[in-house]
Amino acid sequence: MEQPKGVDWTVIILTCQYKNSVEVFQRELEVRQKREQIPARTLLLAVEDPETRMGSGGATLNALLVAAEHLSAREGFTVVTSDVLHSAWILILHMGRDFPFDDCGRAFTCLPVENPQAPVEAVVCNLDRLLDIMSYQLGPGSPPGVWVCSTDMQLSVPPNPGISWDGFRGAKVIAFPGSMAYARNHGIYLTDSQGFVLDIYYKGTDADIQRCAKPDGRVPLVSGIVFFSVETAEHLLATHVSPPLDACTYMGLDSGARPVQLSLFFDILLCMARNVSREDFLMGWPPEMGQGDADIKGYLQVARAELWKELRDQPLSMAYIPDGSYSYMTSSASEFLHSLTFPGAPGAQVVHSQVEELQLLGAGSSVVSCLLEGPVRLGPGSVLQHCHLRGPVHIGASCFASGLDTAQVEALHGLELHDLVLQGHHVRLHGSSLRAFTLVGRLDSWERQGTGTYLNMPWSEFFQKTGIRNWDLWNPDTPPTERCLPSARLFPVLHPSRALGPRDMLWMLDPQEDGGEALWAWRTSWRLSWEQLQPCLDRAATLASRRDLFFRQALHKARNVLEAHQDLSLRPLIRATVHEGCPRPLMAMLDQVAAGTGDLGVAARVLACVADVLGYMAEGRGGLRSGPAANPEWIQPFQYLECGDLAGGVKALAQERDKWLSRPVLLVRAARHYEGAGQILIRQAVMSAQRFVSTEPVELPAPGQWVVAECPARVDFSGGWSDTPPLAYELGGAVLGLAVRVDGRRPIGARARRIWEPELWLAVGPRQDEIATKIVCRNLEDLQDYCQPHAPGTSSILAGTALAALQRAAGRMMSTEALIHAVLYLEQVLTTGGGWQDQVGGLMPGIKVGRSQAQLPLKVEVEEITVPEGFVQMLNDHLLLVYTGKTRLARNLLQDVLRSWYARLPAIVQNAHSLVQHTEECMKAFHQGNLPLLGRCLTLYWEQKKLMAPGCEPLAVRRMRVGGPGPCLWN
């Protein structure tokens, strides 16, 4: 399905607090630019916040300054000017705070969804979904300006949210419906009847919440999405030179200004709300800042005064999307698990993962980007992400596991986990790369508070059960209110004598088992709290590890798809490997499959996949994929294949391939030769039809006596292309056609006679007594161009008449069934390809259906169709033959069709099945003598043929069809 037109972003900025990860996220944006086909002219920037706690408002102002600076530089200005905003669509995405369930934050949290229509295979992160929503649902139709979107929530937006931009100025917030109960811990908008925002409440009173309620009882939630018009964005940008707001930007920080923390909604936007007075605004305190001393409040008042001066006159309106949904990604494990699972679902949601034993996955669970080998049991409501596990492993109900691989599997043997969160982390300490593991309970609280639980039990119970003491986790001077899970030094990262693994945390579940050795090992380890661990997380290594695992499971998937003859397209995966710069492992796996299979169909499809890899590596710069494939350098690999040595041929192909990877033009030429190699295998598969060819001796004609064979032309009414190898033996073919005379004559024929000279005379002409071309062959070398499709020759029906005449002249005779298969064999020898519908249509009389089963050897069977009396004459009265004067070489179309079929493009696969199924409907029309139904069948069939081979309808034919009364046949 074609992607709807989206916003052509001028700048996309991703802000983050992680100063050591900006380059990592910049690369992730660039990967998405290529993957999502974001135009190269779009500026993609990962920008670090000047300070860790800048707040969403400060991060927005800094990002806006960076965008204006880059656009100004691109336009040749030497200073920042807001003029560049007037023709720009800018998207600012805020990553927000740390997230306990993903080392790369909420933006890169993977979701259990996939898009089968996506051109590139990839795990879907929350960032991807939000970028898609902003580009194709919320953004379209908006004027130039600045969109700001947080990545700390999950959204669902209808295709047409109905946002009005008529007469818009100022800023517009996007709100989604929520319950009154949810609003007690969230932000909501109060608006007037025209949609202008009067106030913004956070954790408001019941009266405040009731005041905001809609007629259906729901309230508009603050969603983290806002749009600033160019005028408003200019006013906001102007504050970056005014103290203390200058400290929100990197320029102010570089100038030594004191940092200030600002909220986007409760500082910048709140001053634009109509019911908010200046006095209340200056004395207010943004809720995301927590508590602060009087000095900070005074500094914030000065900042708010500047915002009031610049923005107060700008209107603030709200767009409410009642059919959408909003969910903040909290630090509650229970809520996070609920957002990734499917309660009530009968099975598991398995996304971009390879699982050997699906029946072991519990109801409602989800598995994302995992490779599970052997018996890996997953309980209901549990989530696995980025794990490579080899069973036996049992993870029970309501668990979340991430970042585990086979090196840690032994620690899980014999355990059954319940209500737990087990994660593996990539850590960098003093230049060394380490693995650390964290284990927490599903019900544990990540809030900083003096009470709480760990491993789903009160701290006192945990201390008693494990032998761990208060002083093991916190310093003696740590206030009781600060003794909480985020600050507890629970997680070992380094041990003086051995590598660490999950067992260094899992022992806490059953501490009596080892007699205290695990406690001692834990105590003698260098341990960090969750807060101390965050700055040490190696996000580059984390994303690289996820990418590596994704491709490992993808290679397993590709192998399974090929070996099991599945109709799944591998092109999205091929594009992904090329975009990520790692096509060689994929080609190596494809070589293994091709060399190891005994199935010619599988091997041919694999070689077509290698050709696709090479084609995509050329990135559209090496010329057309269709072209010659007979370079002398490739002769040896082809000879191996011709001799039936598949393994030797695949090895020789790979060795030659390595010499052709340096330039796009060489890559495309190599792709052509891989398609040529695939044609050899197709030819060998189709040649299996030779077993259905037999002849019988007959009386030998006298020398000089002509033997004449004549055939009608043919018209196909349904199923064409399904007869073409490999579709004919992989899908199974069914073509309905009929034999027709032209001007009362059989227009196609051949005659042969024996002559005394040891020569072969070949004469071709439009009529029997008119010879246009005459060729004399005196030795075998004169026949060596038989495999060149551009050499003199023509249709399959003519080949049938020629074979019949030659056989009879030589004293042999074939049945019509044998002749059909002989022509099929001959066309493979000639390398023109093609299927069997021509010879079935022309060599068999009347109206008939030809069929071939999805199997080898390829055998064609023909069924005659009976029609009501008088229907043939009625049909003759409604058929008109129009010569267009347009010629085509069937092989050119054939290459494109085979390429699409081997890629198993969903539209082509569906259309191919439809071609076969539609033949049965067309048979009914003939059996019933139903001419209107037959017309409808023809109209549908022509659309099917155009979908199968785009470009097969010349402009002249299209014009005739537009001006004509009904369906038109052309071939």
Side-chain angles (χ1 to χ4, degrees):
M1 183 180 296
E2 185 178 353
Q3 178 79 297
K5 182 172 177 54
V7 179
D8 191 2
W9 298 110
T10 311
V11 185
I12 298 176
I13 292 182
L14 179 64
T15 75
C16 62
Q17 298 180 0
Y18 316 123
K19 297 182 183 297
N20 61 346
S21 303
V22 174
E23 292 182 0
V24 176
F25 295 137
Q26 179 68 40
R27 181 186 183 278
E28 289 299 310
L29 288 177
E30 291 168 357
V31 166
R32 281 158 176 78
Q33 184 167 41
K34 183 178 290 188
R35 189 173 75 201
E36 306 299 332
Q37 299 180 333
I38 299 172
R41 62 181 175 273
T42 302
L43 286 173
L44 298 179
L45 303 170
V47 177
E48 67 179 77
D49 296 340
E51 282 289 330
T52 303
R53 297 293 179 183
M54 290 301 301
S56 57
T60 298
L61 180 55
N62 182 68
L64 180 57
L65 172 61
V66 171
E69 184 179 20
H70 278 77
L71 290 177
S72 297
R74 189 162 73 174
E75 294 299 320
F77 298 114
T78 57
V79 296
V80 177
T81 172
S82 62
D83 292 346
V84 295
L85 302 179
H86 285 259
S87 57
W89 279 263
I90 298 172
L91 174 60
I92 298 173
L93 297 157
H94 292 315
M95 286 193 63
R97 296 176 288 273
D98 295 331
F99 190 49
F101 311 116
D102 198 290
D103 291 353
C104 296
R106 293 171 172 87
F108 292 96
T109 297
C110 293
L111 306 177
V113 296
E114 62 181 322
N115 179 9
Q117 306 299 325
V120 180
E121 188 164 331
V123 173
V124 177
C125 299
N126 195 39
L127 173 67
D128 302 311
R129 171 177 275 184
L130 292 175
L131 186 59
D132 186 76
I133 288 173
M134 296 305 303
S135 299
Y136 296 103
Q137 291 166 268
L138 295 180
S142 68
V146 179
W147 281 95
V148 182
C149 177
S150 172
T151 62
D152 60 6
M153 75 285 195
Q154 293 187 38
L155 294 181
S156 175
V157 181
N160 298 302
I163 301 175
S164 174
W165 299 101
D166 294 338
F168 170 76
R169 62 181 294 264
K172 187 187 292 288
V173 294
I174 309 298
F176 294 87
S179 67
M180 292 190 181
Y182 190 84
R184 292 191 179 97
N185 292 294
H186 201 76
I188 55 176
Y189 295 112
L190 176 66
T191 62
D192 63 14
S193 59
Q194 295 179 307
F196 288 101
V197 176
L198 303 178
D199 209 338
I200 308 175
Y201 300 126
Y202 179 72
K203 293 185 177 181
T205 64
D206 287 345
D208 292 334
I209 296 173
Q210 188 64 46
R211 195 178 298 118
C212 299
K214 297 290 184 180
D216 61 0
R218 299 185 294 177
V219 292
L221 299 175
V222 174
S223 69
I225 302 178
V226 61
F227 175 77
F228 294 100
S229 68
V230 170
E231 177 189 3
T232 306
E234 285 183 304
H235 281 276
L236 179 59
L237 181 61
T239 66
H240 89 274
V241 296
S242 304
L245 294 175
D246 61 341
C248 292
T249 70
Y250 82 93
M251 286 187 175
L253 198 66
D254 288 351
S255 302
R258 177 185 173 188
V260 62
Q261 182 177 353
L262 287 182
S263 165
L264 173 61
F265 292 91
F266 295 98
D267 285 317
I268 293 177
L269 293 179
L270 188 62
C271 71
M272 302 163 64
R274 292 187 171 185
N275 282 4
V276 176
S277 67
R278 184 177 187 275
E279 180 181 3
D280 289 342
F281 179 68
L282 295 183
M283 297 302 295
W285 186 255
E288 64 186 71
M289 289 181 61
Q291 299 299 318
D293 56 33
D295 184 43
I296 295 177
K297 288 184 178 181
Y299 195 55
L300 180 61
Q301 285 180 8
V302 178
R304 283 189 159 197
E306 286 295 325
L307 291 172
W308 185 274
K309 181 176 69 174
E310 283 290 342
L311 299 174
R312 180 57 187 175
D313 293 334
Q314 299 295 308
L316 178 64
S317 58
M318 180 187 77
Y320 180 65
I321 305 178
D323 296 330
S325 65
Y326 164 94
S327 176
Y328 177 72
M329 298 173 70
T330 72
S331 57
S332 163
S334 295
E335 294 180 16
F336 178 64
L337 278 169
H338 186 268
S339 71
L340 299 181
T341 53
F342 305 85
Q349 184 80 0
V350 179
V351 178
H352 295 301
S353 299
Q354 292 303 297
V355 181
E356 287 189 358
E357 302 187 42
L358 281 172
Q359 72 276 12
L360 299 181
L361 303 184
S365 60
S366 76
V367 179
V368 180
S369 191
C370 290
L371 182 56
L372 307 183
E373 302 174 278
V376 177
R377 186 178 299 275
L378 185 66
S382 287
V383 174
L384 286 183
Q385 292 191 349
H386 315 297
C387 290
H388 182 185
L389 303 179
R390 188 172 293 122
V393 172
H394 190 178
I395 296 176
S398 302
C399 289
F400 176 76
S402 175
L404 307 178
D405 57 40
T406 53
Q408 293 92 44
V409 164
E410 187 178 349
L412 299 176
H413 289 172
L415 294 177
E416 183 178 348
L417 310 182
H418 290 280
D419 298 310
L420 295 171
V421 176
L422 176 61
Q423 300 179 82
H425 309 271
H426 289 269
V427 177
R428 196 162 188 84
L429 289 174
H430 302 296
S432 299
S433 296
L434 305 170
R435 292 299 308 276
F437 299 88
T438 57
L439 179 70
V440 297
R442 180 176 65 88
L443 303 177
D444 295 346
S445 172
W446 287 93
E447 302 297 327
R448 293 189 62 87
Q449 55 188 20
T451 60
T453 62
Y454 179 61
L455 297 183
N456 304 314
M457 67 184 87
W459 282 105
S460 57
E461 182 181 340
F462 170 74
F463 291 147
Q464 182 179 6
K465 180 178 181 179
T466 62
I468 294 174
R469 296 294 174 256
N470 217 310
W471 54 83
D472 289 322
L473 305 181
W474 299 286
N475 294 331
D477 57 351
T478 302
T481 55
E482 294 293 315
R483 296 184 178 186
C484 54
L485 177 55
S487 64
R489 293 190 299 270
L490 279 163
F491 310 116
V493 295
L494 190 65
H495 193 275
S497 62
R498 62 176 178 82
L500 297 173
R503 63 178 176 273
D504 294 286
M505 294 299 303
L506 291 169
W507 69 270
M508 299 176 185
L509 302 176
D510 189 6
Q512 308 304 320
E513 190 173 279
D514 65 353
E517 290 184 13
L519 174 60
W520 174 251
W522 179 85
R523 276 203 172 112
T524 54
S525 299
W526 182 12
R527 303 185 312 280
L528 297 178
S529 69
W530 179 259
E531 292 175 338
Q532 293 169 328
L533 192 62
Q534 295 308 299
C536 304
L537 294 174
D538 190 341
R539 295 178 178 86
T542 299
L543 292 172
S545 175
R546 292 179 182 180
R547 187 172 289 111
D548 175 70
L549 178 58
F550 169 78
F551 283 114
R552 271 189 283 149
Q553 67 81 25
L555 292 183
H556 278 72
K557 167 193 170 181
R559 180 185 291 273
N560 293 338
V561 166
L562 294 168
E563 293 178 342
H565 302 268
Q566 296 177 18
D567 284 339
L568 294 177
S569 177
L570 296 180
R571 276 196 179 172
L573 170 59
I574 292 172
R575 290 191 184 101
T577 61
V578 173
H579 288 168
E580 297 286 347
C582 52
R584 289 179 184 268
L586 175 59
M587 289 194 291
M589 182 278 294
L590 293 173
D591 291 341
Q592 293 173 3
V593 174
T597 184
D599 189 316
L600 291 175
V602 170
R605 182 181 176 187
V606 170
L607 296 185
C609 289
V610 176
D612 272 349
V613 176
L614 295 168
Y616 284 117
M617 288 174 67
E619 297 182 327
R621 295 178 290 143
L624 298 176
R625 282 280 298 276
S626 297
N631 187 285
E633 301 295 325
W634 296 83
I635 289 178
Q636 185 180 22
F638 286 4
Q639 288 177 339
Y640 280 116
L641 297 178
E642 294 282 10
C643 295
D645 185 355
L646 186 56
V650 170
K651 181 180 179 181
L653 284 170
Q655 290 172 342
E656 187 61 34
R657 179 183 71 210
D658 289 341
K659 306 173 187 176
W660 295 66
L661 303 180
S662 59
R663 300 197 312 275
V665 66
L666 295 181
L667 286 164
V668 170
R669 290 168 64 190
R672 293 172 183 168
H673 284 82
Y674 261 89
E675 290 186 342
Q679 285 291 336
I680 294 174
L681 301 184
I682 292 175
R683 186 157 66 248
Q684 291 176 342
V686 176
M687 284 179 173
S688 64
Q690 188 180 20
R691 72 172 59 185
F692 305 113
V693 178
S694 60
T695 62
E696 296 180 359
V698 293
E699 182 181 355
L700 189 68
Q705 179 181 343
W706 288 104
V707 176
V708 179
E710 291 182 339
C711 280
R714 60 91 186 170
V715 178
D716 54 304
F717 276 72
S718 182
W721 284 116
S722 72
D723 68 300
T724 305
L727 281 76
Y729 59 80
E730 291 185 350
L731 169 72
V735 180
L736 189 152
L738 53 95
V740 294
R741 297 188 181 214
V742 178
D743 296 330
R745 300 178 57 187
R746 297 186 182 94
I748 303 170
R751 61 178 182 165
R753 64 178 178 175
R754 289 188 295 145
I755 60 177
W756 294 109
E757 297 84 355
E759 297 173 346
L760 177 65
W761 295 359
L762 302 173
V764 180
R767 296 180 182 274
Q768 183 171 319
D769 55 350
E770 299 178 14
I771 297 178
T773 304
K774 181 177 180 179
I775 301 172
V776 179
C777 301
R778 294 184 172 85
N779 51 60
L780 291 178
E781 284 74 17
D782 294 334
L783 296 173
Q784 290 305 305
D785 65 349
Y786 71 90
C787 59
Q788 298 298 325
H790 294 281
T794 180
S795 77
S796 304
I797 301 178
L798 181 59
T801 59
L803 276 176
L806 285 170
Q807 288 284 340
R808 184 65 182 83
R812 309 292 296 180
M813 187 175 69
M814 284 184 179
S815 67
T816 305
E817 178 185 349
L819 195 57
I820 289 172
H821 291 89
V823 173
L824 192 60
Y825 180 91
L826 173 65
E827 289 201 323
Q828 297 303 316
V829 173
L830 296 176
T831 74
T832 54
W836 45 253
Q837 70 156 314
D838 261 21
Q839 55 265 43
V840 169
L843 301 181
M844 298 289 290
I847 306 168
K848 62 271 175 178
V849 171
R851 293 187 179 89
S852 62
Q853 300 300 317
Q855 63 187 32
L856 290 175
L858 177 57
K859 183 178 183 181
V860 183
E861 298 174 317
V862 183
E863 175 189 352
E864 183 180 353
I865 297 177
T866 58
V867 297
E869 185 177 354
F871 184 69
V872 171
Q873 185 58 48
M874 182 188 299
L875 193 60
N876 284 332
D877 294 340
H878 287 81
L879 285 179
L880 177 66
L881 174 64
V882 178
Y883 178 58
T884 65
K886 303 292 183 180
T887 60
R888 63 176 172 85
L889 184 63
R891 176 167 172 171
N892 293 342
L893 286 176
L894 177 62
Q895 285 181 311
D896 292 335
V897 172
L898 295 192
R899 196 174 294 135
S900 299
W901 170 253
Y902 272 137
R904 293 303 194 271
L905 301 183
I908 293 296
V909 172
Q910 180 180 357
N911 193 51
H913 283 277
S914 180
L915 280 166
V916 176
Q917 295 164 2
H918 179 64
T919 298
E920 304 302 321
E921 184 71 14
C922 195
M923 284 180 60
K924 292 180 183 178
F926 276 100
H927 282 307
Q928 298 170 5
N930 190 333
L931 200 62
L933 176 58
L934 186 58
R936 291 193 295 271
C937 289
L938 277 174
T939 300
L940 174 60
Y941 179 42
W942 187 238
E943 296 304 314
Q944 291 173 327
K945 293 189 76 170
K946 289 191 294 182
L947 179 61
M948 206 69 183
C952 69
E953 181 181 55
L955 179 60
V957 173
R958 189 179 311 124
R959 287 172 175 167
M960 282 190 292
R961 281 179 48 78
V962 171
C968 173
L969 302 180
W970 175 82
N971 196 27

